[in-house]
Amino acid sequence: MSDPQQEPEGGVYSKDYWDLVFEQLGRRKLFRVGMGVLALLYGLVIFAPFLAGDRPFSFEGVDRAAYGSSLNSLRAVTNGMLKLVEQPDEAYLAELEQAGTLGRDGVPQSREKALVLEVDALELRLDVVALYLPDGASEERAALAAFREKAAAGRQAFGGGDTDLATALLGEAKDLTRELRKSLRPLDPKNPDRGGVALQSRRTLPLWDALWPREIFFMVLWVLLASWPVWNRLLNQIALKGDRERIRDWRRRKAALVLGLSVFASLGWYAAFGDGDDMYKNGPHKAGLISGAIVALPEGQLLGEGTGAFDPTWPPLTYGLAETHTEEMFRPPTWWWWAEIDEAGRYVRGPKSASEENTGFTAAVTPVDVRAGEPARNSKMRHLAGVDELGRDFLTRLVWGGRISLTVGILSALLLTIIGVVFGSIAGYFGGRIDVAIMRLIEILQAIPAFFLILMTMAFIPADVISPIFAIVIVIALIRWTGVARLVRGEFLRLREQEFVIAAQALGFSNQRTIFRHVLPNAMGPVLVSAAFAVAAGILTESAVSFLGFGIRPPEASWGSLVNESKNAANWWIQLFPGLLIFITVTCYNLVGDAVRDALDPKMKL
Amino acid sequence: MLSFILRRLFLMVPTTLGIALVVFTIFHAAPGDPATVMIGAGTGGQLGQDTDVEGMVDKFRRIHGLDRSLIVQFFDYVGPLNLDRDGVPWFSSPHTERSTRQVKLSDGIEIDEGKVMRIVHLPKTSDVDAERFDKARDVLSDEAAGGEAWSVAQRTLVAGGEQARPALLSGLHLLAESAASRGAAIGRLIGALTANTGADFSVPSERIEALGGVARIRACFAWYYANGGYRVQNTGADWWGGLLVGDLRREMQSGREVGSELVKRLKITVPLAFSSILLSYLFALPLGIFSARNHGKRRDGLVTIALFVLFAIPTFWAGLMLILTFGKTGMDLLPVVGLHDKDAADLGPWAYAWDTLMHSILPVLTMTYGSLAYLSRQMRAGMMDTLQQDYIRTARAKGLSETKVIYKHALRNSMIPVLTLLASVLPILIGGSIIIEKVFDVPGMGRYAFDGLLKRDFNIIMATTILVGVMTQVGILLSDITYSIVDPRIRHE
């Protein structure tokens, strides 16, 4: 039996250009290493919520604080609805005007819209209350359902124009809240004699709830791309039966499949779970578990009667992005010799310990606060990359900061390549005066060192007008496109004289068709290479600009701005780790770019 | 060749103007008002709640001419004419127009009120006269001077005619703030102005009740603006100015001349940059040759990987890591801050030179490693390319020693691409000096540019950018010239 790879059935197959390129790339060890490390890095930042965060994957227990506050605020919300229904439109608008929010975005500008918001708020609270009510409490559930119905009927009556009925219904609902507050009062496990409803432990998925649909997109995309070698081979050999002709036809379909699946997954996620949480917001669980507002309990058990203990599964780094441990400010990485802290909170050795160097200034020491899910005080795993100036875990910041660095790199490279290709092809294809004008512009832009220009532009874009992340992407692209444009122009000048282009023109094809179908695809090779290097350059530029303080600003952080968090060389971990990550990323991109260049054109070899 | 150089030098002018235009466009097109940004940056965000920010911004705009039309501003910067000088008719600014407003009184009559502000002397007024009028005006507004002195002063001011009016109006401007308590002085000044001009500055009592003495002062200004009063500030500057005549303006906050400050800074940066270029060429060429000669061997691989890795290190990080290693926290071998010790001025010449040398090791090292990696990669490529040429094979076939083949036959040809890189290395060094001088706290050009950016000082930013742009073009020119020296086949006609 012959190998289908070599002897396809039906038709003679010759390897085309891209087959050769892929073959070449597969053979380069450095390319594989570079791609592997890059995939790992992108995986780390894409899956950042799973790696570093303060929300457990799944949680079983009772959120007593949420239950209590939801129950207590039912009356206020119903009252608000009632007021909205009763007052005339003019009064509502006058109220807005007095508050200075008339015509402002995000503030409901009519009673109907305000009522919708109130109903949403009410539903949210009712859901929380219903969640923790025990299964057996059918009476209480019925009371709650009756209240919910009454409020909904009131809202419906208002929508139907019957204000009087709505007022009456909501008034009744308001009266119901007082009874609800009494009958649904939670049982306090410390004072069981006072009575109340024993809340039942439920299972929630805080981490999954916090995810954004766009994160799902990148996660699926990453998984599909990372497993490409595996499923690509399976698809080729099983579904396509190794037919090279069909494999070639399927190249585009595979790319579309990957993108389509990712988009589909994220849209599905949005439909099912909606938006996520702001990652700068601390999750309630760690603080709640300590204060007792949240009680961990195996699912189904009643609060106060349950016996087992539930241990939630936290992400490996149990620190929220904005969670601070002020008592551990600038603590070195915990595997480091100097990081050990005694019970009182003093450093045992090293320059930070009082015994070694008495500066005459005794800082107040606070014992280390080990919160729920965190490693022990002197565990080597506690802060692998140290702690920053506000007491935030630096590794967590590095993982999240990588998102911005890598995003800026990719986006800026994408944008500058697009701009460069557009200008370069216009200049190269049409020539003449357009060419001269564009080349002159390029010359001027290239006479100013790009970094200088980018820094300057960033300095003049206030952070509150455009988010620095987008600003830096756009600025890098608008200034760095010149290289790509020259490259594409050169390719176009070369290709313009070739027979197939002349043939296309002779056949009367439009300029658009000639450019996009005939010239551009043949000019894409060098562009791809330069795009790989542009990502590396983008990451380097962003980090340098952020380091100088004109790029990413707090609360956001990128690897470049993280370096800047301590000017003191004694806090070496702050300066070492982010730079190391930048360095690794850039090296990998350079490796990949080099390999692609060699594979695309063996003659270009350096 | 000479004509080629001259032509290229001449072409640098439009390119430089283009650079100025780009910077200018960015400055004004960036979202956010430059004056507001500059005020915010200049005060370090220390604005109190009751600070009159609008007033400050307005004043800043007027002082630095940011209220003029953009075209005027640009050509003012470029020169060669100083457009904020007196008497240039096509320069106008909303604030140099006479700002008068109509006030409607209760009985329906409209009266004009002019904006009260300092009025500068007319261009034709000599400094001596200006001083004389100002002095007379001061006497007139001084309560203690007494009747005799007052009448002398009034005579001077009336005799001064048109030229004495700015002094009087400026005096009124000074008094306007304390109009309630200085009614007598205001009366004397207005009296002098009435005698000078013959105009009537009486104001309906309704306005007097509303505003007090200021109402009359406003009437004076309204008359002045309506009767051809100049309000353009006589800066005392030359007719000639701007970029084209080498005038780089002044720093916006301190008022120091940007040009002389730049020269001072360049004396620090240029030696650093040149020693870095020298060092990188000195090491890159042998390294590249070594790599190319050992092509395919393990040695070559190691060198290539090392250079590859060097190339990817972010500059600022390299600097920080060097400080970490060699500074106080590490081996404590080298000084890491500035270019001199604090007590360097007391040192002898040798000790001073040694001190400078020790201080510049780390900055120069940080500047060098990147270009070293880049250059030796290019050198290796060039050498390998050359070694495959036919004439090298011929030389080897003749039985020449390998050394002779490499250094006599191959070197000059393989250096051509590397030399052209001078053009790209020079600006990278200057641009990179921002980072290096920030990291090592060297008060050079890069640091100046950085400070300018922090203060959002348009003149500093413009000057440094243009300087770097010019240096880039000079670098390109230099490499073209060296190109034709190294390779006589290339002639620039």
Side-chain angles (χ1 to χ4, degrees):
Chain A
M1 214 174 94
S2 65
D3 185 358
Q5 293 274 326
Q6 283 173 355
E7 206 62 55
E9 284 172 45
V12 181
Y13 174 78
S14 65
K15 291 173 182 169
D16 79 343
Y17 179 63
W18 291 105
D19 280 322
L20 290 171
V21 168
F22 284 127
E23 208 169 85
Q24 275 272 326
L25 284 178
R27 271 199 225 126
R28 305 264 307 204
K29 205 156 101 204
L30 284 176
F31 173 76
R32 291 215 302 262
V33 171
M35 281 305 264
V37 176
L38 281 182
L40 187 72
L41 280 171
Y42 276 93
L44 283 180
V45 304
I46 285 175
F47 290 96
F50 295 149
L51 274 177
D54 56 356
R55 294 164 173 87
F57 284 92
S58 124
F59 186 79
E60 294 172 18
V62 177
D63 191 342
R64 291 171 57 206
Y67 180 87
S69 67
S70 300
L71 188 61
N72 290 342
S73 61
L74 284 182
R75 188 176 173 78
V77 180
T78 322
N79 203 17
M81 289 171 69
L82 188 61
K83 215 179 119 203
L84 274 176
V85 170
E86 277 174 345
Q87 77 186 152
D89 279 332
E90 297 79 41
Y92 179 70
L93 292 178
E95 234 171 55
L96 282 188
E97 191 158 18
Q98 205 172 10
T101 52
L102 191 66
R104 187 179 297 173
D105 280 349
V107 178
Q109 295 298 320
S110 72
R111 284 197 298 157
E112 285 78 13
K113 282 181 191 155
L115 199 62
V116 170
L117 288 188
E118 294 278 353
V119 168
D120 286 348
L122 191 68
E123 290 290 327
L124 212 66
R125 284 167 172 80
L126 285 173
D127 286 345
V128 171
V129 172
L131 179 67
Y132 292 116
L133 275 183
D135 296 329
S138 50
E139 246 173 72
E140 284 86 351
R141 280 184 182 275
L144 203 64
F147 169 75
R148 195 193 287 257
E149 257 167 47
K150 198 133 269 174
R155 148 108 182 82
Q156 216 146 37
F158 178 73
D162 192 348
T163 316
D164 293 337
L165 180 60
T167 313
L169 283 169
L170 285 175
E172 282 170 38
K174 191 179 151 191
D175 293 338
L176 275 181
T177 55
R178 188 166 299 169
E179 284 166 36
L180 280 179
R181 218 166 134 176
K182 234 179 264 164
S183 62
L184 298 186
R185 186 165 52 86
L187 178 86
D188 186 355
K190 281 175 198 146
N191 287 324
D193 307 335
R194 287 178 57 200
V197 183
L199 300 182
Q200 192 170 19
S201 165
R202 302 289 178 188
R203 187 184 156 93
T204 50
L205 301 169
L207 177 52
W208 299 95
D209 288 341
L211 290 183
W212 291 86
R214 57 167 186 259
E215 286 180 305
I216 302 298
F217 170 80
F218 287 112
M219 285 174 189
V220 175
L221 189 67
W222 185 85
V223 168
L224 287 176
L225 289 181
S227 59
W228 174 284
V230 181
W231 62 260
N232 184 40
R233 182 163 298 174
L234 286 179
L235 188 75
N236 284 351
Q237 296 198 344
I238 296 170
L240 304 178
K241 301 196 179 78
D243 181 349
R244 302 296 286 264
E245 208 65 44
R246 283 177 66 195
I247 292 175
R248 199 156 74 183
D249 291 342
W250 263 70
R251 266 189 213 137
R252 266 187 204 174
R253 267 176 245 177
K254 282 179 204 161
L257 192 76
V258 168
L259 272 181
L261 272 179
S262 313
V263 171
F264 183 74
S266 67
L267 286 180
W269 187 272
Y270 181 73
F273 306 104
D275 276 339
D277 253 349
D278 181 4
M279 65 168 171
Y280 293 106
K281 209 170 69 189
N282 278 339
H285 294 86
K286 285 178 79 170
L289 281 171
I290 294 167
S291 69
I294 297 178
V295 182
L297 209 61
E299 188 179 7
Q301 291 195 8
L302 294 178
L303 188 63
E305 294 165 21
T307 47
F310 174 73
D311 206 9
T313 321
W314 302 87
L317 302 169
T318 331
Y319 305 96
L321 187 53
E323 186 185 340
T324 52
H325 272 276
T326 33
E327 75 283 358
E328 285 183 289
M329 184 187 102
F330 280 140
R331 185 177 179 184
T334 34
W335 42 266
W336 184 247
W337 177 246
W338 288 343
E340 197 178 327
I341 290 183
D342 67 9
E343 264 169 53
R346 281 190 207 86
Y347 286 92
V348 176
R349 52 182 95 77
K352 290 198 170 210
S353 67
S355 60
E356 194 161 299
E357 190 179 9
N358 198 341
T359 50
F361 166 76
T362 327
V365 282
T366 325
V368 172
D369 177 16
V370 180
R371 293 174 196 159
E374 287 174 8
R377 167 165 49 92
N378 279 325
S379 157
K380 298 241 183 306
M381 302 291 288
R382 187 167 165 84
H383 297 293
L384 283 174
V387 178
D388 79 355
E389 141 191 58
L390 294 177
R392 291 170 293 196
D393 180 54
F394 204 55
L395 189 54
T396 305
R397 307 252 296 150
L398 282 175
V399 171
W400 285 89
R403 285 193 153 192
I404 292 179
S405 287
L406 296 178
T407 311
V408 167
I410 290 258
L411 284 185
S412 62
L414 200 71
L415 197 58
L416 79 84
T417 307
I418 292 172
I419 300 176
V421 166
V422 168
F423 275 92
S425 34
I426 291 174
Y429 188 79
F430 295 107
R433 264 188 212 165
I434 302 175
D435 185 29
V436 171
I438 290 177
M439 285 312 283
R440 198 75 210 152
L441 180 65
I442 289 177
E443 240 164 66
I444 289 173
L445 275 179
Q446 286 195 331
I448 319 172
F451 178 69
F452 210 93
L453 202 55
I454 291 168
L455 196 65
M456 193 186 77
T457 318
M458 286 305 292
F460 277 103
I461 300 181
D464 49 346
V465 180
I466 299 179
S467 149
I469 303 174
F470 291 109
I472 199 157
V473 167
I474 294 167
V475 168
I476 290 178
L478 283 183
I479 289 168
R480 283 262 169 82
W481 58 271
T482 50
V484 180
R486 288 183 89 136
L487 203 73
V488 173
R489 175 180 171 269
E491 286 291 303
F492 265 65
L493 286 180
R494 184 174 66 81
L495 293 170
R496 200 170 61 169
E497 309 300 328
Q498 301 227 337
E499 286 83 354
F500 68 94
V501 179
I502 297 171
Q505 283 167 338
L507 280 169
F509 289 163
S510 67
N511 280 335
Q512 197 186 339
R513 180 169 175 155
T514 319
I515 290 178
F516 284 107
R517 299 290 292 274
H518 297 272
V519 190
L520 203 50
N522 285 296
M524 277 323 270
V527 174
L528 267 181
V529 178
S530 82
F533 289 124
V535 179
I539 292 172
L540 276 180
T541 308
E542 183 275 322
S543 66
V545 171
S546 296
F547 169 74
L548 290 176
F550 295 107
I552 310 296
R553 273 156 251 213
E556 266 130 5
S558 73
W559 288 337
S561 70
L562 283 175
V563 175
N564 213 6
E565 269 190 14
S566 169
K567 305 259 189 293
N568 189 349
N571 303 321
W572 52 268
W573 56 96
I574 302 268
Q575 304 182 341
L576 176 67
F577 294 123
L580 202 61
L581 285 169
I582 299 171
F583 162 61
I584 292 172
T585 317
V586 171
T587 310
C588 288
Y589 266 110
N590 285 345
L591 282 178
V592 170
D594 256 18
V596 175
R597 173 173 55 200
D598 292 352
L600 284 176
D601 182 4
K603 271 180 286 177
M604 267 199 286
K605 193 168 263 167
L606 256 187
Chain B
M1 188 67 191
L2 189 66
S3 74
F4 165 76
I5 295 175
L6 283 178
R7 201 177 67 227
R8 288 286 296 272
L9 282 175
F10 179 72
L11 265 176
M12 275 167 65
V13 175
T15 310
T16 308
L17 291 187
I19 296 172
L21 188 61
V22 168
V23 178
F24 188 83
T25 313
I26 291 172
F27 183 75
H28 284 283
D33 173 52
T36 317
V37 174
M38 277 189 268
I39 292 270
T43 52
Q46 300 290 310
L47 295 174
Q49 279 218 315
D50 46 340
T51 318
D52 176 18
V53 181
E54 255 176 55
M56 282 171 71
V57 170
D58 191 52
K59 190 172 157 207
F60 191 85
R61 275 205 197 110
R62 262 185 287 123
I63 289 174
H64 299 293
L66 292 169
D67 55 344
R68 295 168 292 166
S69 105
L70 288 183
I71 298 167
V72 172
Q73 281 188 54
F74 180 67
F75 282 102
D76 183 30
Y77 188 86
V78 168
L81 283 174
N82 251 338
L83 298 189
D84 56 352
R85 197 176 186 281
D86 290 343
V88 178
W90 40 275
F91 147 53
S92 73
S93 123
H95 287 276
T96 54
E97 283 156 19
R98 301 147 197 152
S99 63
T100 315
R101 60 184 179 140
Q102 268 83 40
V103 180
K104 202 166 191 177
L105 298 180
S106 55
D107 49 6
I109 302 170
E110 280 191 0
I111 61 162
D112 290 342
E113 290 195 343
K115 191 168 182 182
V116 180
M117 50 189 4
R118 200 168 75 88
I119 302 292
V120 291
H121 286 285
L122 298 187
K124 60 185 173 189
T125 311
S126 70
D127 288 350
V128 180
D129 277 344
E131 204 180 322
R132 197 159 56 88
F133 295 139
D134 281 347
K135 201 171 257 171
R137 187 261 331 268
D138 289 344
V139 167
L140 213 52
S141 42
D142 182 6
E143 297 298 338
E148 186 64 25
W150 284 338
S151 55
V152 173
Q154 173 151 7
R155 272 202 295 282
T156 313
L157 287 165
V158 174
E162 191 190 23
Q163 299 189 38
R165 287 173 199 164
L168 279 166
L169 286 159
S170 296
L172 285 172
H173 168 239
L174 286 175
L175 291 173
E177 295 210 346
S178 50
S181 56
R182 305 291 307 275
I186 293 173
R188 282 195 296 278
L189 286 185
I190 293 183
L193 197 59
T194 314
N196 182 314
T197 60
D200 174 25
F201 298 121
S202 62
V203 178
S205 57
E206 188 185 330
R207 291 304 285 170
I208 301 266
E209 275 160 29
L211 291 171
V214 180
R216 295 182 66 199
I217 298 179
R218 287 198 182 162
C220 297
F221 278 87
W223 177 89
Y224 185 69
Y225 296 153
N227 291 276
Y230 279 99
R231 258 201 50 225
V232 181
Q233 185 150 352
N234 185 354
T235 55
D238 279 336
W239 273 93
W240 305 100
L243 181 64
L244 284 176
V245 292
D247 168 23
L248 293 173
R249 305 287 173 198
R250 287 163 184 278
E251 287 175 25
M252 282 181 163
Q253 316 228 325
S254 68
R256 275 184 303 233
E257 278 200 19
V258 174
S260 55
E261 190 71 21
L262 258 187
V263 171
K264 211 164 78 192
R265 307 290 189 125
L266 279 176
K267 280 182 191 157
I268 295 170
T269 301
V270 170
L272 284 182
F274 272 98
S275 36
S276 160
I277 291 184
L278 208 65
L279 272 179
S280 44
Y281 270 97
L282 218 57
F283 285 99
L285 298 187
L287 215 57
I289 296 170
F290 171 81
S291 249
R293 282 181 78 171
N294 294 289
H295 174 57
K297 292 185 194 155
R298 204 186 174 82
R299 278 174 273 181
D300 171 41
L302 280 178
V303 170
T304 310
I305 288 178
L307 294 176
F308 198 85
V309 165
L310 270 188
F311 192 54
I313 300 180
T315 320
F316 64 89
W317 189 61
L320 288 174
M321 289 302 106
L322 284 175
I323 291 179
L324 205 62
T325 320
F326 294 105
K328 282 256 161 19
T329 45
M331 295 191 260
D332 201 3
L333 278 180
L334 292 168
V336 295
V337 177
L339 266 191
H340 303 291
D341 272 343
K342 258 181 259 162
D343 51 356
D346 308 331
L347 296 172
W350 288 108
Y352 187 82
W354 177 249
D355 181 54
T356 315
L357 183 70
M358 293 308 275
H359 274 85
S360 29
I361 289 179
L362 290 185
V364 169
L365 202 61
T366 319
M367 273 183 165
T368 308
Y369 78 92
S371 44
L372 169 71
Y374 186 51
L375 286 174
S376 40
R377 274 178 63 148
Q378 300 293 330
M379 186 64 209
R380 172 174 177 266
M383 194 49 131
M384 272 164 57
D385 214 35
T386 318
L387 286 179
Q388 284 168 2
Q389 301 286 329
D390 290 340
Y391 63 87
I392 296 294
R393 201 181 308 146
T394 314
R396 282 186 181 140
K398 278 197 298 188
L400 288 180
S401 70
E402 190 63 16
T403 321
K404 213 159 193 180
V405 170
I406 299 268
Y407 293 102
K408 186 115 195 203
H409 293 250
L411 184 60
R412 244 164 83 132
N413 281 298
S414 58
M415 266 173 69
I416 294 169
V418 181
L419 279 178
T420 48
L421 287 176
L422 185 68
S424 52
V425 168
L426 192 67
I428 289 174
L429 282 179
I430 301 288
S433 71
I434 294 189
I435 297 173
I436 287 150
E437 289 176 6
K438 169 92 195 321
V439 170
F440 291 99
D441 206 14
V442 177
M445 218 264 324
R447 188 66 212 229
Y448 191 49
F450 179 75
D451 290 344
L453 283 173
L454 272 190
K455 288 187 275 189
R456 285 9 179 224
D457 190 319
F458 173 70
N459 288 342
I460 297 180
I461 296 169
M462 193 71 151
T464 43
T465 316
I466 286 176
L467 182 83
V468 174
V470 169
M471 284 176 111
T472 313
Q473 296 173 72
V474 170
I476 295 172
L477 180 60
L478 276 182
S479 70
D480 280 354
I481 295 171
T482 17
Y483 210 109
S484 65
I485 292 173
V486 178
D487 187 352
R489 283 170 301 179
I490 298 166
R491 291 241 165 71
H492 297 291
E493 297 304 336

